[in-house]
Amino acid sequence: MAYHYKCRHCGTDIGMLDEPVLDSMKLGFHALTSQERQEMISITQTGDYQVSSICEDCQEAFEKNPSNHQNDFLIQ
Ligand SMILES: [Zn+2]
């Protein structure tokens, strides 16, 4: 089972990881409620996980113009 990371803003494939525990800590999954987790993580047809994340480009754009994208980037 693998975790596929996709940018939720531009749709770019960020990468794939086989070690979800380490990365879930990095992404802050442990701090999410189960409902928030379900919204961020979906299961693909092949049985892998697809995780809505953010790519470096969008992260950079967000840091430069936080007010433009603030609502998009906040995890509600
Ligand atoms: Zn992006």
Side-chain angles (χ1 to χ4, degrees), residues 7 9-12 55 57-58:
C7 180
H9 304 286
C10 66
T12 297
C55 70
D57 287 346
C58 290

Side-chain angles (χ1 to χ4, degrees), residues 4 13 18 34 47 50 54 56 63-64 68 72-73:
H4 298 265
D13 280 319
D18 292 319
S34 59
Q50 180 171 298
I54 182 171
E56 289 183 6
E63 287 171 355
K64 284 177 183 169
N68 290 351
D72 289 340
F73 284 82

